Amino acid sequence: MTDLGGQVLCTESYGSRNAQRYQPLPDGRLSCVLDRPEGQGYRSLQDVFMSVFLPQGYPESVSPDYLAYQIWDTVQAFASSITGTLATQAVLKGVGVGDETSTVSAATVTWILKDGTGMLGRILFAWSKGSKLDCDAKQWRLFADVLNDVAILMEILAPAFPACFTLIVCTSGFFKCIVGVAGGATRAALTMHQARRDNMADVSAKDGSQETLVNLAGLLVSLLLIPLVADNLRLTYSLYGLFTVLHLYANYRAVRAVCMETLNRARLRLVFCHFLERAEVPGPAIANPQEPLVLGFRQQLKMTLGAPLHTVTSSVADFQKALEGNATNYLIFFNRSEGAVSILLHRRAGSVDVIKACTHALFLESLLYWDVATRFLDKRAVLDLRRRLHEEPNDKDCAVLSETHWLMDRIFPEFLKGLTAAGWVTDRNLLGPEEWRVDWNIAGKKSH
């Protein structure tokens, strides 16, 4: 038998941690040697903590921004737990806990009205905004936390207005249920971004464990605070202000830490504008910190992506003009008087087609409102096209749009190549198109 004494047969690791070596023993058995620094007990405790509260395979199994986001998310959850306790105490006091003159039935009716109003808010908000939460997850996450702080403030102030107490707590319940829908939906969207090994369930479960631990810590701190704030409104308001500032700051840092590689309208606008100015596409790490986080961000040119045909034209001639010379999977209609562009998507349109259609609308916006000179096109031609967009009558818009199609065919291939090279995902997007799709090749099929 060959002498293998001291020779390493193989090495093994659990993710990027717990490296160990296997060596042969004289009797033929394998010996496992752990490659650990001193302080093995501490390392073992750390390993247990990581296995309980972090996804399996961390950090390789999650996105690079996972740790920074979770740290600030933990801070905001702790602050929210404290302010939530202050609000609960105020509501209980308002419904009559500790007051001999109040009745159980009155308190029950108030609580039922509060919950019922919240349920109605949950349904209405999910119906009106549910399809938009994926596209702007960071903005809606920040909105949810701001609204949550407003709802908590209303509950803390409610006992000071006994005549309007029921109305105030019902409104607060309405807001909190909106927070629940927006917060839960955006958390799911962020979990999808963070999970890198088809491990959404594990990432979500560990996030729940982290939140439970933080809420437990918040409850313990709340037990110490409750006797102090029971009859001290000034201290209650001071603590609310302190922890609300911490909560909002931590939420801002948390969403700023998220670096999404998929394109939504705000991120596409940023990278395309940069591309026109400098002939290069910035990566996600550069564009994400510049993305606006306040809801209400709108392009100067209103865009409807995936519009139904009947909303853009009722004229056969206009529809046929839009089809002339068009070799793309989208049709674009421009309404200068309303400052709007509507895009019809073909039934075969894929993610790249949607990105190109949205980029085309942004190119129109650049011609109308931006002072950007692209390096890919002749400056005089761009200035002439811009002048015609502003000065020519509306019935000439089709001719101008036809020229922009030709220009986009020159610009977009290089732009798409830059997107891929910079690390952006193009096989899916968060541009939020409507579900309408048109098949304008059907007449040609019937003629054969």
Side-chain angles (χ1 to χ4, degrees):
M1 180 177 178
T2 304
D3 183 16
L4 298 175
Q7 180 180 344
V8 177
L9 294 180
C10 63
T11 60
E12 186 178 46
S13 63
Y14 186 82
S16 60
R17 301 179 287 119
N18 298 344
Q20 52 196 23
R21 294 175 283 117
Y22 286 91
Q23 295 177 335
L25 294 176
D27 59 3
R29 291 183 295 114
L30 281 175
S31 171
C32 178
V33 181
L34 299 180
D35 291 333
R36 285 186 172 180
E38 295 183 3
Q40 181 173 344
Y42 167 76
R43 291 289 301 174
S44 299
L45 183 61
Q46 180 181 351
D47 290 344
V48 171
F49 181 85
M50 292 178 70
S51 66
V52 172
F53 293 104
L54 294 176
Q56 180 175 311
Y58 171 87
E60 290 84 1
S61 63
V62 292
S63 59
D65 56 15
Y66 177 84
L67 183 60
Y69 172 81
Q70 292 301 130
I71 288 174
W72 287 111
D73 188 54
T74 297
V75 174
Q76 71 85 20
F78 176 78
S80 181
S81 177
I82 301 299
T83 55
T85 299
L86 298 176
T88 300
Q89 183 186 41
V91 171
L92 290 175
K93 183 178 179 181
V95 297
V97 174
D99 185 356
E100 296 180 356
T101 62
S102 63
T103 63
V104 174
S105 60
T108 303
V109 168
T110 300
W111 208 268
I112 290 174
L113 289 174
K114 175 178 177 293
D115 288 347
T117 306
M119 293 174 188
L120 180 62
R122 181 181 293 113
I123 294 171
L124 292 175
F125 182 76
W127 166 62
S128 62
K129 298 296 182 182
S131 61
K132 306 299 181 184
L133 298 178
D134 282 302
C135 302
D136 300 305
K138 292 191 282 188
Q139 290 85 342
W140 281 110
R141 176 61 192 270
L142 194 60
F143 165 82
D145 286 295
V146 171
L147 189 61
N148 184 61
D149 289 331
V150 172
I152 289 175
L153 178 61
M154 293 177 68
E155 291 180 347
I156 291 175
L157 295 176
F161 303 93
C164 302
F165 178 82
T166 301
L167 176 62
I168 293 173
V169 296
C170 286
T171 305
S172 172
F174 185 87
F175 288 168
K176 280 193 170 184
C177 282
I178 291 177
V179 170
V181 174
T186 54
R187 184 182 295 274
L190 293 175
T191 300
M192 181 182 297
H193 157 70
Q194 292 172 338
R196 295 302 166 95
R197 291 184 179 172
D198 295 325
N199 57 339
M200 275 190 61
D202 186 31
V203 173
S204 179
K206 296 302 170 58
D207 182 70
S209 296
Q210 296 168 24
E211 186 172 358
T212 301
L213 180 64
V214 172
N215 288 336
L216 179 61
L219 288 175
L220 294 176
V221 174
S222 298
L223 288 175
L224 301 176
L225 292 179
I226 287 175
L228 301 177
V229 302
D231 298 308
N232 192 334
L233 287 178
R234 179 174 297 181
L235 181 59
T236 299
Y237 297 150
S238 299
L239 288 173
Y240 169 80
L242 174 65
F243 282 102
T244 297
V245 170
L246 178 62
H247 179 245
L248 293 176
Y249 176 73
N251 270 291
Y252 174 80
R253 292 296 301 270
V255 295
R256 269 292 177 225
V258 176
C259 184
M260 308 281 279
E261 296 93 356
T262 44
L263 291 163
N264 65 0
R265 297 190 187 188
R267 291 190 287 273
L268 180 60
R269 188 177 191 271
L270 285 168
V271 297
F272 184 63
C273 182
H274 191 280
F275 174 76
L276 289 179
E277 291 178 337
R278 305 184 186 181
E280 61 181 16
V281 177
I286 297 175
N288 273 269
Q290 302 176 44
E291 182 182 0
L293 295 179
V294 178
L295 281 171
F297 164 80
R298 292 290 182 271
Q299 296 169 195
Q300 292 169 292
L301 188 64
K302 182 182 176 183
M303 184 201 314
T304 303
L305 191 58
L309 177 60
H310 67 85
T311 62
V312 295
T313 184
S314 58
S315 167
V316 175
D318 287 346
F319 182 59
Q320 290 177 337
K321 283 182 181 179
L323 288 174
E324 289 176 2
N326 180 55
T328 62
N329 282 328
Y330 67 90
L331 298 178
I332 189 164
F333 291 83
F334 176 45
N335 189 325
R336 194 189 322 166
S337 60
E338 296 182 4
V341 59
S342 299
I343 299 171
L344 274 62
L345 296 175
H346 195 275
R347 182 173 53 83
R348 295 194 305 265
S351 177
V352 172
D353 296 310
V354 173
I355 293 173
K356 183 178 181 180
C358 198
T359 305
H360 194 157
L362 290 173
F363 183 57
L364 278 175
E365 184 183 76
S366 72
L367 293 173
L368 286 166
Y369 303 111
W370 306 351
D371 188 17
V372 176
T374 175
R375 299 186 183 183
F376 292 95
L377 304 172
D378 180 69
K379 185 177 181 180
R380 292 177 59 184
V382 171
L383 290 175
D384 179 65
L385 192 59
R386 182 176 292 157
R387 177 188 59 79
R388 289 165 58 195
L389 275 172
H390 282 94
E391 297 177 1
E392 288 188 357
N394 288 341
D395 58 1
K396 300 292 185 181
D397 284 344
C398 285
V400 176
L401 284 176
S402 178
E403 290 188 38
T404 61
H405 269 289
W406 178 75
L407 294 174
M408 276 303 300
D409 288 339
R410 292 184 57 190
I411 293 176
F412 188 74
E414 191 68 25
F415 180 56
L416 181 63
K417 182 180 177 181
L419 287 174
T420 305
W424 293 100
V425 175
T426 57
D427 59 354
R428 53 190 173 85
N429 63 78
L430 296 172
L431 296 172
E434 299 293 336
E435 293 300 317
W436 293 99
R437 296 294 183 272
V438 185
D439 187 354
W440 50 77
N441 303 119
I442 190 168
K445 293 176 184 176
K446 289 184 177 179
S447 64
H448 292 294

